[in-house]
Amino acid sequence: MGLQGKRIAVIEDDRSLNNGIVLALKHEGYQFAQYGTLEEARAGRVESACDLLVLDINLPDGDGFAYLQEIRRTSDIPVIILTANDLETDEVMGLELGADDYITKPFSLMVLRARIEKALNRDRAGKSGIYQAGGFSFDFGRMLFYREGQEIVLSKTEQKLLRHLVENSGITLPRGKLVDLVWTDGAEYVDENALSVAVKRLRDKLEPCPPKPRYLKTVYGIGYVWQEEEKP
């Protein structure tokens, strides 16, 4: 089964918007669970009953950020934040807490549909451990990495860094979050300069020739993103 039949939970207290999202996307073959409060979502156990969560931040009975943090203690379900909060600090907070994407209102339903599809595909690719795009072929399970058919030798740190980046393709991962994800060996403190060095070494191996990065890009002041080239 592809993406059809995937179950999406929409936690949004604006009933018109909630229904609009469902009506606009139902023909894609998705199934939906609709909630207007966090209490309803908790009762529905969305993290185990659904494949993706669309989460409003400002809800009548609580803070969506706190709920996201709560979910991330036990589940890696893809979460797309949908909110009127358009501050950069809020977006960074949402990503650091574990959101897969962040969309501000007003928004295009076409954009939401594309982001949902991308998040579900990314989740499926992440579970398979295989990534293929742009001339790259990465098999994280077998630790085999190729660029244009040529094998690339990566250190364990570079493999972990690359996996987190490609599994979140198109999503800017803050530096602090990447440090926490990559250096999980119990070290009390890791200088963020270690991340800069790891990114440079990985980039040199993946993209040794272009004058500027085409895939592993720096988002100044925030972090890094694996950005797949858009099809012409």
Side-chain angles (χ1 to χ4, degrees):
M1 180 177 67
L3 298 183
Q4 287 198 3
K6 291 292 185 180
R7 188 169 176 82
I8 298 172
V10 182
I11 306 178
E12 166 62 63
D13 62 309
D14 183 332
R15 184 56 59 183
S16 296
L17 178 56
N18 197 318
N19 289 335
I21 291 172
V22 172
L23 288 173
L25 301 180
K26 208 160 190 176
H27 69 279
E28 300 291 332
Y30 300 127
Q31 299 179 30
F32 290 89
Q34 296 176 258
Y35 306 97
T37 66
L38 293 178
E39 182 181 2
E40 292 175 0
R42 288 189 180 100
R45 296 185 177 274
V46 296
E47 68 274 17
S48 58
C50 299
D51 299 293
L52 180 141
L53 173 59
V54 176
L55 173 65
D56 186 17
I57 291 303
N58 300 310
L59 291 157
D61 61 340
D63 176 12
F65 283 138
Y67 181 62
L68 172 60
Q69 198 169 20
E70 178 185 318
I71 285 178
R72 281 292 175 256
R73 295 191 189 107
T74 59
S75 173
D76 61 355
I77 181 176
V79 176
I80 297 177
I81 290 177
L82 195 63
T83 178
N85 297 351
D86 59 357
L87 296 176
E88 187 176 90
T89 53
D90 286 333
E91 182 173 357
V92 171
M93 180 186 294
L95 295 173
E96 287 182 336
L97 290 176
D100 295 79
D101 211 337
Y102 191 103
I103 302 176
T104 56
K105 304 173 184 177
F107 63 93
S108 160
L109 287 169
M110 289 182 63
V111 168
L112 178 60
R113 180 172 66 239
R115 298 288 184 88
I116 287 174
E117 182 177 342
K118 189 167 188 175
L120 288 171
N121 276 320
R122 184 166 58 240
D123 185 54
R124 184 170 56 180
K127 289 175 180 176
S128 73
I130 296 174
Y131 174 90
Q132 291 180 318
F136 294 110
S137 178
F138 306 143
D139 187 332
F140 292 98
R142 299 168 63 194
M143 294 183 289
L144 296 174
F145 306 91
Y146 295 89
R147 182 192 66 245
E148 303 294 347
Q150 298 296 314
E151 186 171 5
I152 307 167
V153 178
L154 301 180
S155 70
K156 289 292 182 64
T157 296
E158 291 161 355
Q159 291 178 33
K160 291 174 70 175
L161 175 59
L162 179 61
R163 181 161 193 166
H164 287 300
L165 287 165
V166 301
E167 286 183 0
N168 292 278
S169 177
I171 305 298
T172 300
L173 295 179
R175 291 177 60 85
K177 180 176 181 178
L178 274 171
V179 169
D180 291 341
L181 289 170
V182 174
W183 282 272
T184 56
D185 56 1
E188 292 185 6
Y189 175 75
V190 176
D191 191 328
E192 284 196 9
N193 184 58
L195 175 62
S196 300
V197 172
V199 168
K200 183 180 186 306
R201 288 176 177 169
L202 178 59
R203 186 179 278 152
D204 288 345
K205 292 179 180 181
L206 296 178
E207 306 183 77
C209 298
K212 63 180 181 179
R214 296 166 57 198
Y215 296 92
L216 205 176
K217 298 183 179 181
T218 301
V219 181
Y220 291 99
I222 301 179
Y224 301 95
V225 60
W226 181 270
Q227 188 69 62
E228 296 176 7
E229 286 194 321
E230 295 184 0
K231 296 179 181 179

